[in-house]
Amino acid sequence: MFETPEALHARAASALRMPPVQEWEEFPFDGEMRPRTLQPPVEREAPRDGEGGVDCWACGQPDEAFVWTNERWRLLPAGPNGLPLVVLLHPRDHYAEPGDLPDDLAAECGVLLSRIERAIRSIGDVGRVHVCRWGDGSEHLHWWFMARPARIPQLIGSFAAIWDDILPVTPDEIWKGNLDGMVAALEESGSGQ
Ligand SMILES: [Zn+2]
């Protein structure tokens, strides 16, 4: 049976572990650390931004805000940050969870995850493209694609999302070149319009 959040909290709050982060090459921070106190469950979760499509930022954006669109999907560039390129794939219509997509849209989503990953990988010395969905911020479904540079072992794995805010912001001309390269590769793959 699924443990209730209250039961988990009662079991875990005084038994938190500290993993050996000092031994993890990719851990971005140094110094003495301890886990934060685990706060008890709240009565209900706060609504996500744009819940039910009301005042939804993604729904309200014109196609011009995106770097690639088709009739059902739109690809948004995250502005320049530490990683060479981060983009987010949104369904044009408001869906909240991957499991809410009708089968035809889910099938096309799978094809696009593959094509976009391949397009990003083609732009240069990309070590990996992380394809992620968290979904605790905006409700409008969005898939993250994060390119990490190759051959810098500290930047591997899920901490790449943190390194994105630690590395200095990618210069505009480099970032724009990365974005343009991805769009060109994506259009070459036959999924553009
Ligand atoms: Zn929306």
Side-chain angles (χ1 to χ4, degrees), residues 7 34 74 76 93 99 124 126 169 179 191:
R34 59 179 185 276
R74 306 198 289 179
L76 183 78
D93 293 334
V126 174
V169 174
L179 189 64
S191 58

Side-chain angles (χ1 to χ4, degrees), residues 24-29 81-86 125-132 134 146-168 170:
W24 299 353
E25 190 177 22
E26 66 274 25
F27 191 73
F29 304 104
N81 206 0
L83 292 176
L85 187 63
V86 175
D125 214 354
V126 174
R128 203 81 62 207
V129 182
H130 296 308
V131 182
C132 327
W134 282 294
M146 300 181 184
R148 71 153 173 83
R151 295 182 290 99
I152 305 181
Q154 278 180 273
L155 303 184
I156 69 166
S158 57
F159 289 117
I162 307 296
W163 281 105
D164 192 33
D165 286 327
I166 299 173
L167 297 169
T170 305

